[in-house]
Each structure stands twice: as C-alpha cells, then as structure tokens.
Amino acid sequence: MDNVEAIIFDLGGTLIDYEGFPHYWGDYYQEALRTVSDKLFLDLTEEQINVAAETLKKYNPRLYPREIEYTPRFIFTDVFNGWRIAENRIDAAIRVFFEFFQQNLIVYPETEKVMNALKANGYKIGILTDVPTGMPTELIIQDISLFEDKVDYFLSSVDCGFRKPNKKGIEIITQSFGVRTQNIAFVGNEIKDIEAAKNAGAISILINRVGEVKNYGEDFQISNLIEIIGLLRLNE
C-alpha cells in the first residue's frame, strides 16, 4: 500500500449505515409511502400505495441489477403516476419518502478518526456511492455532514450516470485527483465495490463488518476502518 495516494470510500455499510434497515429497502416502501401521504395530506388509498411500491421495486437494482442510473425525477414520476400531486410538490414528496429511512442514520464510530488520520497524512479522500433507488444527491450528501469537510470529492451514481460495478465513477474521481488508478485504494462492503475497483485497476479493500466468511477476490480485507491506518502505516 506504499504507492497509495488517495482513498475512495463507498458510503452505506462502509462509513455510515441506516440502522434497522437491510440493504434491500423494498419491504419498507409501503410504510414510507404512507408517510408521504400523511405528511403531504394526499389521502391515498392502500391500493395506490401498493401500486406505487411495486413500481418503485421495478427500479431497485437489488431486484433487477443494472449499471445505468436513472434520475430521481424519472423514477418518481413513474412511482407517483395516478397520484393527485402537483408538479411543484414532487420534490417534497421525494424528500419525505427518504427521510423515513434517514431518521435511522448512524455514522460508524471510527469513521471520523480515520478521515482525520488520512487528511493529516496528506491523502485525498473521495466517496463514490450508489444511491438508494431514486434518492437525490442533495439528500444523501446530508448524511455525511459530520465529516463532509474531510471529503475532497463526493460522487453519487445519479451524478455519475452509472452504478457499480461500472468503473466510471472511480475514473471520474481519479481524474479529478490527478493520480493514476493504480495509486487509488477503494474501500467498500459489497462484491460490486470490489468488482468496480478491479474494473478500474484500483486496489480493492473489502470491509467485512459482520464476521462472515467472504472472499470477493479483494486485495485486502478488514473488519473495521481503523485497520486502514495500519495498512497505510499512518501516524494517527
């Protein structure tokens, strides 16, 4: 790892988590959509909510894998089809939907310490995240407010146009940093993160917080972000 000049992190499951929710949020769509109906006084029927939830599931890449990303407006215009909702309230409805999940946000205890150590030792820091289905960048970036000042480049799949394992996001951040991909380490918790790193020619680090046996062909495996300090032999 002596040649590493910059670190790119995945977000959910790596730096933060939405406590109580699994990777797949589809089972909670109805409840989140009911919250939208209640807070925006839409008076939706259960049938309308169920139809909307099933429509949103069609775009969920955990059910239907894809690398091409869709904009939140594109997805939710379809999801809200048939609702009597004014055009100027669609963004508010999207925000309320995702606030249902964001209320359970946690930042892993070691995240800020590792960010501080990397910055103190001169490393560039990037974040590349595949947004939850239909989530706008301006909402998900709120979830890094505690350490946003340490991040040199934040890129969502919405702004990139592609989801991992596509390598485009890593390439965009790498070019912005002015370093070669072989001098980039990418840290993530899923197989698509490791595949994206390998597709780009970057060093891959799997963070395995659950203790299960995993082998995705990664270059390194850690159980806690603190181990990055040891891998890079940093001064804390």
Side-chain angles (χ1 to χ4, degrees), residues 10-12 61-62 66-67 69 128-133 140 155-158 162-166 190 192-193:
D10 169 52
L11 186 57
R62 296 195 183 277
R66 56 182 164 85
E67 291 189 12
E69 185 60 285
L128 174 63
T129 180
D130 287 346
V131 300
T133 309
I140 198 165
L155 184 63
S156 76
S157 54
V158 171
F162 294 93
R163 300 179 69 89
K164 296 169 286 188
N166 193 286
E190 297 188 64
K192 65 177 179 177
D193 299 314

Side-chain angles (χ1 to χ4, degrees), residues 37-56:
S37 178
D38 292 343
K39 289 193 173 183
L40 272 63
F41 305 103
L42 298 176
D43 196 26
L44 297 172
T45 66
E46 277 300 300
E47 181 179 0
Q48 287 176 302
I49 288 171
N50 290 337
V51 169
E54 291 304 312
T55 300
L56 186 54

Side-chain angles (χ1 to χ4, degrees), residues 21 38 50 53 63 66 72-73 75 79 89 111 125 145 158-159 171 173:
F21 293 112
D38 292 343
N50 290 337
L63 293 179
R66 56 182 164 85
R73 270 284 179 146
I75 292 173
V79 171
R89 300 187 77 196
T111 293
I125 298 175
S145 59
V158 171
D159 294 332
E171 290 179 338
I173 297 175

Side-chain angles (χ1 to χ4, degrees), residues 178-233:
V179 302
R180 297 179 298 175
T181 53
Q182 56 263 45
N183 299 124
I184 291 279
F186 187 86
V187 185
N189 67 314
E190 297 188 64
I191 187 171
K192 65 177 179 177
D193 299 314
I194 303 307
E195 290 175 346
K198 289 189 170 298
N199 289 339
I203 297 167
S204 57
I205 302 175
L206 175 69
I207 181 162
N208 180 2
R209 294 183 180 276
V210 296
E212 298 174 356
V213 176
K214 294 183 179 181
N215 184 355
Y216 301 148
E218 65 278 358
D219 296 307
F220 299 94
Q221 184 169 154
I222 59 177
S223 60
N224 187 296
L225 291 175
I226 287 293
E227 295 174 52
I228 292 174
I229 293 175
L231 285 176
L232 295 172
R233 297 199 286 269

Side-chain angles (χ1 to χ4, degrees), residues 113-124:
K113 180 177 182 179
V114 171
M115 290 285 187
N116 289 334
L118 290 172
K119 293 306 291 184
N121 284 271
Y123 288 88
K124 292 282 191 180

